[in-house]
Structure formats: structure tokens, C-alpha cells
Amino acid sequence: MNEELTLFRDNVRKFIAAEITPHEEQWAERQYVDRDLWHKAGAAGLLCTDVAEEYGGAGGTFAHEAVILEEQAYAGNTAWAKGVHEIVTHYIVGCATPEQKKRWLPKLASGEMVGAIAMTEPGTGSDLQAVRTRAERDGDSYLINGSKTFISNGHHCGLLIIVCKTDLSAGAKGISLIAAENPTELPGYKRGRLLHKIGQKGQDTAELFFENLRVPAENLLGGREGQGFYQLMNQLPRERLIIGVGAIAAAEAAMHHTLDYVRQRKAFGKTLLEFQNTRFKLAERQTELTIGRVFIDHCIQKLLDGKLDAATASMAKWWGTQKQCEIVDECLQFFGGFGYMTEYPIARMYQDARVQKIYGGTNEIMKELIARSLE
Ligand SMILES: Cc1cc2nc3c(=O)[nH]c(=O)nc-3n(C[C@H](O)[C@H](O)[C@H](O)COP(=O)(O)OP(=O)(O)OC[C@H]3O[C@@H](n4cnc5c(N)ncnc54)[C@H](O)[C@@H]3O)c2cc1C
């Protein structure tokens, strides 16, 4: 943090209080945010904060992105899948040709386009090499056939990166990333249901179907077939840190709500905070949170220095989300029955936390990646 980031944090907090918090309930009921939120965020300079100004970004760093992720977590906002949008943005920054960057980045920065990435299929998630979505060259286009599921921003997306096979016999080397621009306008594209989830209810999560979906060949990311797996591997550490940053901040928020509650709630003539069980449990959780904060800040600094490796990012993702789930669960217990009522933020935090151990690569896969670095 520095003075500029502190000022930026104030602006982000005000934006969330004005444009997000009042609508959360409505968004959770219908399972997607207002499309206009993206335009407003673009106008407020909150999209693509770490993208160069020549491409419409704000010319900042990942520290700006981390501030937004933290403020979203402190406000209990999980409906706005901005993290996914920024992950897509960085596929463009890191892998696209100069022409593709010019074509897409300014629209991602203004909110004219919402980003989504479609890796997971009904038949495969963790085992990415087993994707079956097929892209075949047909003149100046690719014809794409297959289906994807659990796609965040699948409802609103204007730029959808599709993970597909351009060569069925080449294993990882047969995977390519192809971007579909304004997919709902393309023949052969079908959006399925919005999926009902345990938590993160305001965030749209969709099934997508491609039946001879025709995409211009110039939308092949980076312009060369067979690069997809390596492009994915290069971007995943950043993606995993994004989840870790949100996880630690959400656990901090749970602690904050809990301390407010146990200081005023009384039982047997004392506040809950006067019971030794409360004091010791919260002392333990505060210790973990302090360790988590130091570690996550270390990872952010590593990313800023261009030195975040896959194993360390995997630690941030699995350990951060594991601690988030444990801390939120234990905090909820101090609220008694009120902790089970969704009008209490701690109840929604509990619902929202669970998926963090699943998406972005499951925590088991994270441990595999760390273990591989030990071989
Ligand atoms: C709310 C939500 C949003 C999502 N958003 C997106 C998105 O935007 N884009 C996208 O592409 N995907 C998205 N996903 C999908 C998500 O990334 C996958 O669900 C996840 O990667 C796991 O894949 P799977 O569900 O197929 O589980 P599987 O791969 O079938 O795994 C099932 C279980 O087996 C375990 N397992 C698998 N392989 C191993 C192994 N080698 N060793 C040990 N254990 C193993 C897993 O850890 C897990 O516990 C989202 C999912 C959810 C729930």
C-alpha cells in the first residue's frame, strides 16, 4: 500500500457502496448483475486497472486489482465476477497478437465487453487435456462443436475464450484458445440455463453449447494453433493468486463481523467475548489471519516483481481458501441461530466460501502442483 493506493481504495469502497451493495439482493434472486454495472465500472476506471493506457487500461499494477478484490470481499460482494473478467483480460495481454490486443482490450476496459473463459466441460474439469470441444478449420473460420459448463459471466459475456482441440491426436499440443466475440450474435451458439448454486448467487454461471459455431480464424489467440495449454499454464498462477487474495480478505471480513457481534451479544450475564472459549478460538483465528495476510502480501509482491511461481500461487489458493472456509465456519458458530439466517452477512459468507476450494483448480490439484515442485 501507498498513498495513491489508499486513495484508490477509498474510491473503490464508495463505488461498491453506491453501485453494488444496494442491488445485491435483487441480483442474487435473478442470478446475474445489471449489465450496466460493467459500463459504470469502466467509466470509474475500475476495469483493467493494470493494463497499459495505450490499450484503454489505467496503467496501474496488480496492487490496484488486489485492492478491488479486497474491497469486494470486505463488502461481501461475490455477485460481480470482476476477477474472471480480469483473468480473461490477461489472456489477451499475455497471449494475443498486437492486432487482437488493439481490438479487444479497449472494449474490456470500458465495460463494452465482459470477459469469460470456457475450460470446463460436463465430462472434464481438472483434467484439462481431456477437453472434447473441437475446432476445425473451414476456410477463414473455425467451426466449433462441443459444450461447456459452470462458466462464470457466461450470461453477459461479450468476449468468450474457448478452450478447444484443434488437433485430436496431439495431447496438450492439440489445445488452442479461440475467442468468440459477441457470441450470442453468432450462429451455432446456445446459452443454456443459469445454474442454481449454494452461494455466490448473484454471479451468473452458465452452460454453453456450440453447434457448428463459426468464429473467424483471426480470433485464434496468439495466431498459432497448439499453444493453448501453455497459454493456460502461464496465466494460472495469477488466477490462483486472485482467488487467494479474495479468500484472505473474506476471512478478515468474517472476523470483523464476529468481533462486533461477540463484543455486544450477552449470555449468562457476560458478553460472548468474555468466555474463555471465544477468546481462545478468536485468538487462534486472528493468528492464522495474520500469517495469511503476511503470506498473501508476499505473493502479491512476488507477482509485482514477475517472480510468482506456480507452486507458491497454488499454496496461496489452497491454503487461503481452506483457511477462509475454516475461519468463516468457526465465526458463524458465535452467532448461534442468527448465523444460519441469510440476512446476516456471516451466513452468506459461509455459503459463498465453499466454492473457493473447488474452482480455479481444485485444492487437491493445487497440492499436486506443489508436490510436483518437490520431486
Ligand atoms: C461457481 C463456479 C464457477 C466456475 N467458473 C468457471 C469458469 O468461469 N470457467 C471454467 O472453465 N470453469 C469454471 N468452473 C469449473 C471449475 O473450475 C471446475 O468445477 C473445477 O476445475 C473442477 O472440475 P470438475 O468439476 O470437473 O471436477 P473433477 O475434475 O471431476 O474433480 C472431482 C473431484 O476429484 C478430484 N480430483 C480430480 N483429479 C484429481 C487428481 N489428479 N488427484 C486428486 N484428486 C483429483 C478433484 O479435486 C475433485 O475433488 C466453475 C465452477 C464453479 C462451481
Side-chain angles (χ1 to χ4, degrees):
M1 291 302 295
N2 57 32
E3 211 176 310
E4 190 257 319
L5 284 166
T6 305
L7 276 175
F8 180 70
R9 185 183 289 282
D10 284 345
N11 288 337
V12 174
R13 194 169 291 172
K14 283 181 195 144
F15 180 86
I16 291 174
E19 304 295 346
I20 292 182
T21 307
H23 309 290
E24 291 273 11
E25 218 164 292
Q26 185 209 357
W27 294 343
E29 271 166 33
R30 70 166 196 214
Q31 303 187 93
Y32 57 89
V33 301
D34 287 342
R35 178 63 184 83
D36 205 31
L37 172 62
W38 294 95
H39 293 294
K40 287 180 182 164
L46 301 189
L47 299 179
C48 302
T49 60
D50 57 353
V51 172
E53 284 166 286
E54 63 170 308
Y55 293 121
T61 70
F62 183 75
H64 294 87
E65 287 300 307
V67 163
I68 300 175
L69 290 164
E70 286 173 1
E71 288 303 317
Q72 284 188 272
Y74 296 153
N77 167 239
T78 55
W80 186 32
K82 175 181 147 53
V84 173
H85 179 84
E86 301 301 343
I87 286 164
V88 170
T89 295
H90 275 267
Y91 276 100
I92 309 302
V93 171
C95 317
T97 64
E99 184 277 322
Q100 290 170 337
K101 287 183 194 178
K102 273 191 218 139
R103 191 145 49 103
W104 295 323
L105 286 174
K107 291 181 181 170
L108 289 165
S110 68
E112 188 182 334
M113 273 182 169
V114 176
I117 175 144
M119 305 186 217
T120 308
E121 300 182 354
T124 193
S126 303
D127 184 6
L128 257 183
Q129 290 193 39
V131 292
R132 292 176 60 183
T133 297
R134 175 90 172 99
E136 282 174 286
R137 190 71 191 245
D138 183 48
D140 288 343
S141 328
Y142 282 101
L143 279 184
I144 304 180
N145 283 284
S147 60
K148 299 284 178 181
T149 193
F150 308 142
I151 306 308
S152 308
N153 289 338
H155 181 72
H156 276 321
C157 70
L159 190 71
L160 175 70
I161 299 181
I162 303 171
V163 178
C164 49
K165 286 258 170 79
T166 39
D167 182 345
L168 291 177
S169 61
K173 290 186 180 142
I175 295 181
S176 300
L177 307 186
I178 300 179
E181 215 175 317
N182 299 320
T184 46
E185 293 167 18
L186 299 176
Y189 181 84
K190 197 168 141 236
R191 206 168 50 195
R193 343 169 252 149
L194 282 175
L195 301 166
H196 294 282
K197 308 191 292 294
I198 297 177
Q200 305 201 350
K201 289 178 190 272
Q203 189 175 126
D204 80 71
T205 311
E207 295 175 311
L208 305 176
F209 304 94
F210 318 128
E211 284 171 29
N212 286 327
L213 168 66
R214 189 174 285 279
V215 177
E218 66 196 25
N219 287 12
L220 172 69
L221 209 62
R224 270 174 60 211
E225 287 186 5
Q227 296 301 303
F229 199 73
Y230 311 101
Q231 292 169 333
L232 289 165
M233 292 305 117
N234 280 337
Q235 291 300 321
L236 285 174
R238 191 174 178 284
E239 185 172 337
R240 280 154 189 168
L241 180 60
I242 285 177
I243 297 175
V245 168
I248 295 298
E252 288 171 340
M255 188 71 172
H256 173 80
H257 286 294
T258 306
L259 284 172
D260 274 355
Y261 190 77
V262 297
R263 282 179 187 134
Q264 53 82 20
R265 174 78 175 177
K266 288 203 166 137
F268 300 96
K270 297 184 195 178
T271 65
L272 296 184
L273 189 55
E274 288 174 89
F275 292 109
Q276 192 187 55
N277 176 63
T278 312
R279 301 174 71 76
F280 282 12
K281 290 246 165 161
L282 291 181
E284 287 168 13
R285 301 296 76 79
Q286 186 59 31
T287 308
E288 289 174 333
L289 272 176
T290 306
I291 295 167
R293 171 52 55 199
V294 171
F295 177 58
I296 216 73
D297 283 351
H298 163 80
C299 292
I300 292 173
Q301 190 60 54
K302 274 194 146 204
L303 188 107
L304 290 171
D305 296 341
K307 291 183 182 153
L308 184 68
D309 59 278
T312 309
S314 302
M315 292 175 199
K317 198 271 173 181
W318 94 258
W319 193 82
T321 59
Q322 177 67 28
K323 286 297 145 195
Q324 175 189 0
C325 288
E326 288 171 13
I327 291 170
V328 169
D329 182 41
E330 203 152 278
C331 283
L332 186 150
Q333 188 72 11
F334 291 111
F335 287 76
F338 296 104
Y340 201 65
M341 302 299 134
T342 50
E343 68 206 72
Y344 275 70
I346 194 71
R348 291 196 300 276
M349 287 181 173
Y350 180 83
Q351 292 174 307
D352 292 342
R354 187 61 183 84
V355 75
Q356 292 261 87
K357 296 200 282 187
I358 298 170
Y359 57 22
T362 65
N363 283 7
E364 291 72 32
I365 295 297
M366 296 305 104
K367 290 174 198 175
E368 261 304 316
L369 293 173
I370 299 163
R372 268 182 225 166
S373 76
L374 305 176
E375 283 169 4

